Amino acid sequence: MLRYAAIDVGSNAVRLLIADITQSDNGFSFKKNTLVRVPLRLGDDAFLDHKISERKIEDLLKTMSAFKNLMDVYQVSKYLACATSSMREADNGQEIIKLIRERANVDLEIIEGQREANIIYANHIEDDLDIKKNYLYIDVGGGSTELSVFVNKTPVASKSFDIGTIRILDNQDKEETWEEMKLWVKEQTKYHKNLAGIGTGGNINKLYRMANEKEGMPLTFLKLKSLYNQLNSHSLKERIQVFGLNPDRADVIIPAAEIFITLMKWTGIKQVYVPRVGMADGIINLLIEENLTKEILDKE
């Protein structure tokens, strides 16, 4: 069995996805084998102090060593490890990369916003899009929000903004960044009718599940707003007890909903589709494209 792995070092959590690669007449696909999520909250250090603390560096090193051991046990043949917003912002990011290479034997790459968006595109959600509609793709993370406009199933504009759930919780989101995002999104969508949203990220996935929508059906603006009001009327402790949310989800879900609601208001989007994919899935798809698909083309 051919296995690939994706490591996503985010501002809220660090994830390892191990996937089994299969081939059919339609090409290659993958099935999720193992998913491990560790809520390290690197963003708290990065956005407030612009430096990852010694304690969190140690936790990250232990996590990376554990991920490496798991990849060895599962006989993973290829992996790609990417760090996003928090590591981009940390002044000691490159030192940490070196330590991870030396002590955990994992090559971690700090990626820019555009590469982050490109990795998410590798999920090829455009294959399932309605050609009659135009889409605003919204990926909300702990440190940044990636926006892309799709017209005729093709991305025509994309931009990364330093607005994310951890950043908002730490009061490190800037008014001018919100204004910049508002101007950009209005400019990029003003000529596109039939605009719908596509949402990715752990929080919108959780909100979608809480909304009890049928698989494949969109989450409406009204339902999202109602869920947000319901969650926001409870304390953090109550959100954990009443809604059964994990502690590291119960706080970030509020700013995540705010980002989606704000973007939907600015653009007049009434519904958002929520494919269950994210950064780690995109990394696996990218590995398939760069390795297996290339091998077939080379043989031809």
Side-chain angles (χ1 to χ4, degrees), residues 234-249:
H234 290 79
S235 68
L236 178 65
K237 194 176 177 185
E238 287 169 343
R239 290 199 289 273
I240 295 165
Q241 290 170 342
V242 177
F243 298 99
L245 294 173
N246 289 336
D248 65 289
R249 177 71 68 208

Side-chain angles (χ1 to χ4, degrees), residues 153-215:
K153 296 193 174 188
T154 306
V156 294
S158 67
K159 197 165 170 63
S160 178
F161 295 91
D162 286 341
I163 291 171
T165 57
I166 303 291
R167 215 182 276 271
I168 291 170
L169 286 177
D170 291 340
N171 293 313
Q172 295 303 304
D173 55 317
K174 297 187 172 75
E175 204 174 310
E176 55 265 36
T177 315
W178 281 99
E179 192 56 35
E180 186 194 350
M181 185 161 80
K182 182 180 184 179
L183 290 171
W184 185 88
V185 81
K186 280 182 171 285
E187 182 62 34
Q188 297 300 332
T189 61
K190 67 181 177 186
Y191 299 118
H192 302 309
K193 298 210 169 97
N194 294 326
L195 195 67
I198 297 167
T200 53
N203 291 297
I204 195 69
N205 269 289
K206 186 64 185 175
L207 287 160
Y208 186 76
R209 286 196 294 275
M210 289 174 77
N212 290 319
E213 294 292 351
K214 274 189 190 167
E215 188 76 34

Side-chain angles (χ1 to χ4, degrees), residues 59-203:
D59 286 347
L60 181 59
L61 284 166
K62 285 175 190 167
T63 303
M64 288 294 123
S65 296
F67 285 1
K68 180 66 169 72
N69 288 335
L70 278 171
M71 290 193 293
D72 289 347
V73 169
Y74 277 95
Q75 297 180 330
V76 165
S77 59
K78 281 197 188 323
Y79 76 89
L80 180 60
C82 298
T84 54
S85 187
S86 58
M87 289 284 277
R88 283 199 290 266
E89 211 139 309
D91 293 336
N92 56 345
Q94 290 304 328
E95 288 168 46
I96 296 167
I97 295 287
K98 195 162 171 269
L99 273 174
I100 289 170
R101 191 177 296 121
E102 287 167 2
R103 287 182 39 191
N105 196 21
V106 171
D107 284 315
L108 180 64
E109 174 192 344
I110 299 176
I111 60 170
E112 292 306 315
Q114 187 55 57
R115 175 147 163 81
E116 189 174 345
N118 291 343
I119 287 170
I120 295 160
Y121 292 161
N123 288 307
H124 292 297
I125 47 136
E126 71 276 7
D127 293 346
D128 301 318
L129 301 184
D130 181 347
I131 196 94
K132 296 187 192 79
K133 286 181 181 166
N134 299 309
Y135 296 87
L136 177 66
Y137 191 140
I138 306 161
D139 182 75
V140 173
S144 63
T145 294
E146 265 62 52
L147 299 180
S148 303
V149 179
F150 278 78
V151 177
N152 297 328
K153 296 193 174 188
T154 306
V156 294
S158 67
K159 197 165 170 63
S160 178
F161 295 91
D162 286 341
I163 291 171
T165 57
I166 303 291
R167 215 182 276 271
I168 291 170
L169 286 177
D170 291 340
N171 293 313
Q172 295 303 304
D173 55 317
K174 297 187 172 75
E175 204 174 310
E176 55 265 36
T177 315
W178 281 99
E179 192 56 35
E180 186 194 350
M181 185 161 80
K182 182 180 184 179
L183 290 171
W184 185 88
V185 81
K186 280 182 171 285
E187 182 62 34
Q188 297 300 332
T189 61
K190 67 181 177 186
Y191 299 118
H192 302 309
K193 298 210 169 97
N194 294 326
L195 195 67
I198 297 167
T200 53
N203 291 297

